[in-house]
Amino acid sequence: MLFEILSSAVFGSIVIVAQLKKSGATNDSDKLNKIFSLTGLNLKDKEKTYTAQLLKKRDYNWGTEYCYRIPLGRSFEDYQAKFNHIQDGLNNRRTAFHFSLADLKALDFKQNLLQQIRDLLNKKKTAKKEIELSYDGTLIVKVYNTPLPTMISYTDIALSWDGWKVPVGQIREDNTLVLHDFEKIPHMVFGGGTRYGKSNFLNMLITTLIILQPNNVRFTLIDLKGGVEFIDYQNVSQVVNYAEEPEEAEEALKAVVEEMRKKQLELKRRGFKNVQEANDPVRHFVIIDEVGELNPSEAITNDEKALKRRCQTYMSQIARLGAGLGYRQILATQYPTGDVIPRQCKQNSDAKLCFHVQSGTASRVVLDEEGAELLPGIKGRAIYQTADKRQIVQTPMIDSNTIQQVIKPHLVIKPRKEQGNDDDSRQQSGKAGADPAQPSAIRFHE
């Protein structure tokens, strides 16, 4: 009897706290206003102080979204610069613990209610809130009750979809997995500092496309980091061009452009505008890792500069004309500087993915705005941005064993370059990786 009375009293207290939270009396809005004031984000004009005005508050299962009108004289960048102050302030341990409706629904009244409440309190004590800031004319502050996972395994993802979609990563909202559809957004650029997940994402992307579209996907892989990233795929049947040096990259890109032009003439002859109308199932992915190695401004000799300019011209042609012809271009760099990614390529790439970088300038090179420099130093944490949306994701981690299991059935014997026969070896390199059993389907020059 005593326990039932105690349980009812405790439960009643929780209901009161939840109701206060719903009314706004105990939510984070007061704390946010205090943080804005203490960090100098408010503005004073003579005797009047201008503050951020709360316009709207929405509660979700994952946390709360606050919309503010910021005072005149302040910009979104001002608030973004105080990101760490805002997030750390909300995690001040003196903050009262808040209980949501989802917390109440999770209680099992047939079990020890008091112990469940204790466990919930302990969970609240150790949980760390995370925030996201964005701006759409108002300042949007998303406060998440639990942090985004620091690791998501690729093997835990069920590839249950069709088409040309690849997993980008998990977001905080209901642990949703975000997919990128290359039929809707054909080209992508992405960057990030060393060891933050860029190479892992490339491997995951290639592996996924081989799993989902083994008979229809084609790859031109240009690995300008000495072959350390794409070496596992060199003898995969879906790889039709493979390059490790700028000279080889030029040959591979030229072959793609020539193939693309022939595809254009073929579609025109058949009366179709694009591969979708023609029901052509083949998609050719041109993936360049460390596109900065093709930057003409870093060339030493005039011949080298001319070669890299030709490479960038081919890349720009693929970006401008390739989408409707079934060609998708993916450019990656770990040194995001202003002249690394050719302008035409970036303008035609509506999808951008950026892992942690060292500066706001580097973030702007990839995303056209700052933010990636504020990402925590967690491998796989990135910002995925399209024309109408920007999301923080945790990209899946894929291991070498999984990659090897996927590519093993697709390995073929390919001709090697012979020493002392540069002409023959160069010619073979231009066809890099063509499957001898499928000349008409893969070898463009045959």
Side-chain angles (χ1 to χ4, degrees):
M1 186 61 139
L2 179 61
F3 177 77
E4 291 179 356
I5 295 174
L6 181 61
S7 298
S8 298
V10 172
F11 179 75
S13 300
I14 295 178
V15 172
I16 293 172
V17 173
Q19 185 61 37
L20 288 171
K21 181 177 184 292
K22 184 177 180 181
S23 67
T26 64
N27 60 38
D28 288 320
S29 62
D30 293 337
K31 197 162 188 83
L32 284 168
N33 286 332
K34 191 71 172 178
I35 295 170
F36 294 161
S37 175
L38 294 175
T39 55
L41 289 168
N42 294 341
L43 289 175
K44 192 170 183 179
D45 182 18
K46 297 181 180 179
E47 300 300 322
K48 190 171 183 179
T49 300
Y50 295 91
T51 65
Q53 179 185 357
L54 181 63
L55 301 176
K56 195 179 299 182
K57 167 183 169 291
R58 295 191 184 98
D59 290 320
Y60 297 93
N61 291 333
W62 45 262
T64 308
E65 179 183 273
Y66 302 92
C67 296
Y68 290 90
R69 178 184 292 120
I70 64 176
L72 290 175
R74 285 291 175 216
S75 67
F76 172 62
E77 286 73 20
D78 293 329
Y79 289 84
Q80 200 170 35
K82 301 293 184 181
F83 178 92
N84 291 331
H85 296 79
I86 298 171
Q87 181 165 274
D88 293 346
L90 288 177
N91 284 292
N92 189 311
R93 290 309 175 193
R94 293 183 180 180
T95 303
F97 302 119
H98 304 318
F99 297 90
S100 66
L101 185 59
D103 293 330
L104 300 181
K105 289 181 178 179
L107 295 175
D108 185 353
F109 296 103
K110 296 180 180 180
Q111 303 297 324
N112 188 326
L113 192 59
L114 187 59
Q115 184 59 48
Q116 292 180 70
I117 294 170
R118 287 172 178 167
D119 293 341
L120 184 58
L121 285 171
N122 288 332
K123 182 180 179 181
K124 294 286 183 181
K125 289 178 182 178
T126 57
K128 180 181 178 181
K129 293 183 178 182
E130 291 185 348
I131 68 168
E132 286 184 17
L133 303 179
S134 59
Y135 188 78
D136 64 354
T138 63
L139 173 66
I140 300 174
V141 183
K142 291 184 178 180
V143 181
Y144 298 92
N145 293 331
T146 55
L148 189 62
T150 57
M151 206 284 286
I152 298 171
S153 175
Y154 180 78
T155 55
D156 292 336
I157 297 174
L159 304 182
S160 57
W161 54 84
D162 297 322
W164 296 94
K165 300 175 183 177
V166 298
V168 174
Q170 182 176 309
I171 58 175
R172 295 181 176 94
E173 286 88 339
D174 299 322
N175 296 323
T176 304
L177 182 67
V178 175
L179 303 178
H180 176 81
D181 190 346
F182 279 102
E183 285 298 275
K184 294 181 178 179
I185 307 178
H187 307 311
M188 175 185 285
V189 298
F190 66 94
T194 305
R195 301 189 183 279
Y196 282 112
K198 178 178 64 67
S199 298
N200 172 82
F201 185 82
L202 283 173
N203 281 283
M204 186 269 296
L205 185 151
I206 296 170
T207 302
T208 300
L209 292 172
I210 292 175
I211 293 173
L212 295 178
Q213 298 284 350
N215 299 319
N216 297 322
V217 68
R218 305 288 184 267
F219 292 107
T220 288
L221 301 181
I222 299 177
D223 184 351
L224 298 173
K225 293 168 65 177
V228 296
E229 298 301 342
F230 296 153
I231 189 65
D232 288 341
Y233 309 103
Q234 185 173 7
N235 293 317
V236 172
S237 61
Q238 290 86 355
V239 176
V240 297
N241 298 297
Y242 181 86
E244 294 181 359
E245 300 294 337
E247 293 80 6
E248 297 171 341
E250 181 189 10
E251 293 179 7
L253 290 169
K254 181 180 179 181
V256 171
V257 170
E258 290 176 353
E259 180 183 310
M260 190 175 70
R261 294 292 188 184
K262 281 195 173 183
K263 176 64 71 66
Q264 189 178 44
L265 293 174
E266 177 191 345
L267 290 175
K268 184 178 180 180
R269 178 182 59 80
R270 295 169 59 193
F272 296 116
K273 295 180 180 179
N274 53 54
V275 290
Q276 287 83 5
E277 285 187 5
N279 291 320
D280 185 343
V282 176
R283 300 293 181 268
H284 192 144
F285 286 77
V286 179
I287 305 178
I288 305 177
D289 190 17
E290 202 39 70
V291 66
E293 292 298 316
L294 298 179
N295 182 5
S297 65
E298 295 185 0
I300 298 176
T301 66
N302 290 333
D303 288 344
E304 183 185 1
K305 182 177 292 186
L307 182 147
K308 292 184 177 182
R309 282 177 176 165
R310 291 194 296 272
C311 287
Q312 290 202 343
T313 298
Y314 292 137
M315 290 157 53
S316 296
Q317 290 176 328
I318 296 169
R320 292 196 311 271
L321 306 174
L325 302 174
Y327 293 82
R328 282 80 181 96
Q329 186 166 249
I330 301 167
L331 306 180
T333 179
Q334 65 181 8
Y335 304 109
T337 58
D339 52 0
V340 164
I341 304 172
R343 184 176 302 175
Q344 290 279 351
C345 297
K346 188 175 179 181
Q347 288 178 345
N348 286 279
S349 300
D350 286 336
K352 300 174 177 65
L353 185 71
C354 193
F355 296 87
H356 178 79
V357 291
Q358 295 298 319
S359 67
T361 300
S363 178
R364 286 194 296 271
V365 169
V366 181
L367 301 174
D368 290 325
E369 56 184 275
E370 297 181 359
E373 77 281 5
L374 299 174
L375 289 171
I378 298 173
K379 186 172 183 178
R381 187 66 54 88
I383 294 175
Y384 171 60
Q385 183 171 293
T386 56
D388 59 348
K389 188 175 290 186
R390 173 180 169 134
Q391 298 168 298
I392 294 179
V393 299
Q394 183 66 32
T395 59
M397 300 296 293
I398 189 169
D399 59 78
S400 297
N401 289 335
T402 301
I403 296 172
Q404 295 302 322
Q405 289 174 9
V406 170
I407 67 175
K408 186 176 181 180
H410 304 285
L411 293 176
V412 295
I413 298 175
K414 297 185 179 183
R416 296 181 179 178
K417 294 181 180 181
E418 298 295 338
Q419 292 183 353
N421 193 345
D422 291 340
D423 293 337
D424 291 342
S425 63
R426 181 69 60 89
Q427 189 174 4
Q428 289 177 356
S429 173
K431 302 173 184 177
D435 184 354
Q438 299 176 336
S440 61
I442 297 178
R443 287 185 177 175
F444 173 72
H445 291 293
E446 293 281 296

